[in-house]
Amino acid sequence: MRRTRIIRYQNKYRYWYFSLKVFVIVYAAVYLLGYMASSTTAYFHENVQLDGEVTIGEWQEQPPVIKETYELEFIRKQVQKITTCERVTLKAKIKNIGSVDMTKSLTYDVLYTEKGNPMKYGKSLDLEKGEGEINPLAKKETATLTATVEQPGVYVFLVKQADDDLLWSKEINVQCKEKPKSNGVGKPSENQATNQVQSTPKTKNEKNEEVKDANQEKNEKTKQQVDETSEAQTQQTKINEKQ
């Protein structure tokens, strides 16, 4: 009875058993073929170390570019003293010590204070017509800055350069020392007293400074002439070489 039931059950699901077997066989075959056709997971490494140098190229180092420009400098390096009670014109010489000529004009101011440092506490003066401007200077060329003042005090020239640098001159001290009037016999007349005030005798130091300035100006002119002659000879030599 039991065996008959088993045989009947097998006959009923025989198709499904066969289909399952075929599916398993096909799946196994596809898996094996895919595994055999895939790349292997093994890796091979080989390193070779070489000693030596390889030159790719040569580049010539460029020399640093030196920008040529003008440079101004006040010639006088000492404080200047002027003794007078009248209107006086202050002067300060400036020189282009750079390697090229100036191409544009510059402006300058004059600062004033009764006492102390005019660079810190000075007030700018109203300059007269023709003052306050520096024309373009060639290299080694000098110019004289002027300012007309009427009262004693401490003055200084301030040049505003093109690169926003400020150039200060040495201080100029203007002092007024009036001589006391004599009473009694030998009293000078009003004209004589006025002349004495106007022509205040110069001290020995002031005379020495004037002589020093004159000699320095003479040396500068001589040096400038020598430079111009040397430059002319150099240009003539170049012209001869080209010919």
Side-chain angles (χ1 to χ4, degrees):
M1 180 64 119
R2 183 178 179 183
R3 183 175 179 82
T4 304
R5 187 180 299 171
I6 293 173
I7 293 172
R8 192 179 354 174
Y9 180 80
Q10 290 178 350
N11 292 334
K12 184 177 180 181
Y13 295 98
R14 181 177 298 175
Y15 175 76
W16 295 106
Y17 285 145
F18 179 76
S19 299
L20 180 61
K21 290 180 181 181
V22 171
F23 176 77
V24 171
I25 292 171
V26 172
Y27 180 80
V30 172
Y31 177 78
L32 291 175
L33 291 175
Y35 181 78
M36 293 175 65
S38 63
S39 60
T40 178
T41 57
Y43 295 94
F44 176 75
H45 297 276
E46 183 178 2
N47 295 328
V48 179
Q49 184 174 357
L50 300 176
D51 295 332
E53 296 180 356
V54 178
T55 303
I56 300 177
E58 295 182 357
W59 290 266
Q60 185 177 2
E61 295 184 0
Q62 297 294 333
V65 179
I66 301 176
K67 185 179 180 181
E68 295 185 347
T69 181
Y70 70 88
E71 182 179 357
L72 300 180
E73 180 184 60
F74 280 101
I75 296 176
R76 193 181 185 92
K77 302 299 182 182
Q78 298 176 351
V79 176
Q80 185 178 358
K81 295 182 180 180
I82 300 176
T83 303
T84 182
C85 297
E86 297 182 347
R87 179 185 176 94
V88 64
T89 299
L90 307 181
K91 297 180 180 181
K93 291 185 178 181
I94 197 169
K95 183 177 182 180
N96 179 10
I97 61 173
S99 58
V100 297
D101 301 339
M102 291 174 55
T103 57
K104 296 182 179 179
S105 300
L106 298 179
T107 59
Y108 67 88
D109 290 330
V110 178
L111 277 67
Y112 158 79
T113 181
E114 291 186 8
K115 295 181 180 179
N117 188 353
M119 286 187 278
K120 291 183 179 180
Y121 312 108
K123 297 180 180 179
S124 181
L125 298 181
D126 294 330
L127 301 179
E128 296 184 354
K129 186 177 180 181
E131 298 176 344
E133 185 175 357
I134 305 175
N135 295 325
L137 299 177
K139 59 181 180 179
K140 310 302 181 183
E141 185 181 359
T142 60
T144 301
L145 312 186
T146 60
T148 304
V149 299
E150 299 180 350
Q151 53 187 347
V154 186
Y155 298 85
V156 69
F157 286 86
L158 170 61
V159 178
K160 301 175 182 178
Q161 301 192 76
D163 52 0
D164 294 333
D165 286 343
L166 301 179
L167 182 63
W168 299 86
S169 70
K170 287 294 183 179
E171 297 177 358
I172 303 176
N173 294 328
V174 179
Q175 300 175 354
C176 177
K177 296 181 180 180
E178 294 185 358
K179 287 187 175 182
K181 297 181 180 180
S182 60
N183 296 325
V185 181
K187 181 178 180 181
S189 63
E190 293 181 357
N191 293 334
Q192 290 176 347
T194 304
N195 292 334
Q196 288 180 357
V197 172
Q198 292 178 353
S199 58
T200 304
K202 296 182 179 179
T203 62
K204 185 177 180 180
N205 292 332
E206 290 177 349
K207 291 181 179 179
N208 292 335
E209 288 182 358
E210 289 183 356
V211 173
K212 185 178 179 179
D213 291 342
N215 293 334
Q216 188 173 5
E217 184 176 0
K218 183 178 179 181
N219 294 333
E220 288 176 358
K221 290 182 179 179
T222 304
K223 186 177 179 181
Q224 185 175 0
Q225 291 176 358
V226 172
D227 292 341
E228 291 177 355
T229 304
S230 177
E231 187 174 356
Q233 291 177 353
T234 303
Q235 293 179 356
Q236 185 64 32
T237 303
K238 291 182 179 179
I239 294 173
N240 294 335
E241 290 178 355
K242 290 182 179 179
Q243 291 177 355

